[in-house]
Amino acid sequence: KNRSHDSELIPIPFLSLSASKDRFLILLRSDIKVLLGDSQLKNAGLKPSGRIVARILHGISSPIFSHALWKTHPLWGKRKDVSFSDLSTLADKIIKEKRKDL
Protein backbone atom coordinates (compact mmCIF):
# COMPACT_ATOMS: atom_id res chain seq x y z
CA LYS A 1 0.00 0.00 0.00
CA ASN A 2 1.19 3.48 -0.80
CA ARG A 3 0.47 5.88 1.99
CA SER A 4 1.28 9.53 1.98
CA HIS A 5 3.48 10.71 4.84
CA ASP A 6 0.64 12.78 6.32
CA SER A 7 -1.68 9.78 6.59
CA GLU A 8 0.86 8.03 8.83
CA LEU A 9 0.91 10.84 11.40
CA ILE A 10 -1.05 10.33 14.58
CA PRO A 11 -2.87 13.42 15.81
CA ILE A 12 -2.83 13.89 19.57
CA PRO A 13 -6.02 15.50 20.78
CA PHE A 14 -5.71 16.83 24.30
CA LEU A 15 -9.36 16.38 25.22
CA SER A 16 -11.69 13.36 25.35
CA LEU A 17 -9.11 10.67 24.68
CA SER A 18 -10.09 7.04 24.35
CA ALA A 19 -8.39 4.46 26.60
CA SER A 20 -5.89 3.43 23.90
CA LYS A 21 -5.04 7.05 23.17
CA ASP A 22 -4.65 7.64 26.91
CA ARG A 23 -2.06 4.85 27.05
CA PHE A 24 -0.32 6.22 23.97
CA LEU A 25 -0.22 9.71 25.47
CA ILE A 26 1.20 8.33 28.74
CA LEU A 27 3.99 6.57 26.82
CA LEU A 28 4.65 9.66 24.73
CA ARG A 29 4.84 11.89 27.82
CA SER A 30 7.20 9.35 29.38
CA ASP A 31 9.51 9.46 26.35
CA ILE A 32 9.59 13.25 26.51
CA LYS A 33 10.33 13.28 30.24
CA VAL A 34 13.12 10.70 29.82
CA LEU A 35 14.63 12.78 27.04
CA LEU A 36 14.44 15.98 29.11
CA GLY A 37 16.35 14.24 31.92
CA ASP A 38 18.93 12.69 29.60
CA SER A 39 22.55 13.72 30.16
CA GLN A 40 23.23 13.81 26.41
CA LEU A 41 20.58 16.53 26.00
CA LYS A 42 21.70 18.39 29.11
CA ASN A 43 25.33 18.34 27.91
CA ALA A 44 24.30 20.10 24.69
CA GLY A 45 24.24 23.32 26.73
CA LEU A 46 20.88 24.56 25.45
CA LYS A 47 17.72 25.36 27.34
CA PRO A 48 15.32 22.57 26.32
CA SER A 49 12.39 23.47 24.12
CA GLY A 50 9.54 21.64 22.49
CA ARG A 51 11.16 22.16 19.11
CA ILE A 52 14.44 20.55 20.23
CA VAL A 53 12.59 17.58 21.73
CA ALA A 54 10.48 17.15 18.58
CA ARG A 55 13.58 17.27 16.37
CA ILE A 56 15.23 14.51 18.39
CA LEU A 57 12.10 12.35 18.54
CA HIS A 58 11.72 12.76 14.77
CA GLY A 59 15.41 12.09 14.16
CA ILE A 60 16.02 15.45 12.48
CA SER A 61 19.70 16.28 12.56
CA SER A 62 21.16 19.72 13.23
CA PRO A 63 24.67 21.05 13.95
CA ILE A 64 24.13 20.64 17.70
CA PHE A 65 22.09 17.43 17.52
CA SER A 66 23.90 15.61 14.75
CA HIS A 67 22.89 12.21 13.46
CA ALA A 68 26.42 10.93 14.12
CA LEU A 69 26.15 11.73 17.85
CA TRP A 70 22.51 10.79 18.39
CA LYS A 71 21.86 7.83 16.06
CA THR A 72 22.45 5.27 18.82
CA HIS A 73 20.21 7.02 21.36
CA PRO A 74 17.06 4.94 21.93
CA LEU A 75 14.75 7.96 21.45
CA TRP A 76 16.39 9.29 18.26
CA GLY A 77 13.66 9.16 15.61
CA LYS A 78 11.38 7.02 17.80
CA ARG A 79 8.28 9.15 17.35
CA LYS A 80 8.25 9.87 13.61
CA ASP A 81 4.65 8.64 13.60
CA VAL A 82 3.52 11.68 15.65
CA SER A 83 3.25 15.06 13.99
CA PHE A 84 6.15 17.41 14.69
CA SER A 85 3.77 20.14 15.81
CA ASP A 86 1.99 17.89 18.32
CA LEU A 87 5.32 16.67 19.74
CA SER A 88 6.59 20.22 20.07
CA THR A 89 3.39 21.42 21.74
CA LEU A 90 3.28 18.52 24.20
CA ALA A 91 7.00 18.88 25.03
CA ASP A 92 6.58 22.62 25.66
CA LYS A 93 3.66 21.84 27.99
CA ILE A 94 5.76 19.27 29.92
CA ILE A 95 8.73 21.67 30.13
CA LYS A 96 6.43 24.36 31.51
CA GLU A 97 5.01 21.90 34.09
CA LYS A 98 8.53 20.91 35.19
CA ARG A 99 9.55 24.58 35.64
CA LYS A 100 6.43 25.24 37.68
CA ASP A 101 7.29 22.33 40.00
CA LEU A 102 10.80 23.70 40.72
Side-chain angles (χ1 to χ4, degrees):
K1 292 182 181 178
N2 286 336
R3 290 183 173 177
S4 71
H5 181 67
D6 290 338
S7 67
E8 295 175 14
L9 298 179
I10 300 169
I12 305 173
F14 291 99
L15 300 172
S16 54
L17 298 169
S18 68
S20 64
K21 287 185 180 179
D22 278 342
R23 283 188 293 264
F24 178 79
L25 187 56
I26 289 167
L27 293 172
L28 185 58
R29 288 179 65 90
S30 176
D31 284 347
I32 292 169
K33 288 178 181 181
V34 166
L35 185 57
L36 290 171
D38 190 274
S39 61
Q40 193 169 344
L41 180 62
K42 289 179 180 179
N43 292 339
L46 294 175
K47 184 177 175 183
S49 70
R51 180 173 165 77
I52 289 171
V53 169
R55 288 182 67 92
I56 293 169
L57 292 175
H58 264 250
I60 300 172
S61 189
S62 70
I64 295 174
F65 303 103
S66 70
H67 179 264
L69 293 174
W70 281 83
K71 66 183 176 185
T72 59
H73 193 282
L75 294 175
W76 179 257
K78 181 179 179 183
R79 295 297 183 178
K80 291 179 182 178
D81 58 333
V82 179
S83 80
F84 187 93
S85 175
D86 287 342
L87 279 174
S88 183
T89 300
L90 181 58
D92 277 334
K93 183 178 177 182
I94 291 169
I95 291 166
K96 196 177 284 188
E97 288 169 3
K98 284 183 77 166
R99 287 186 187 139
K100 194 165 68 169
D101 290 342
L102 295 177

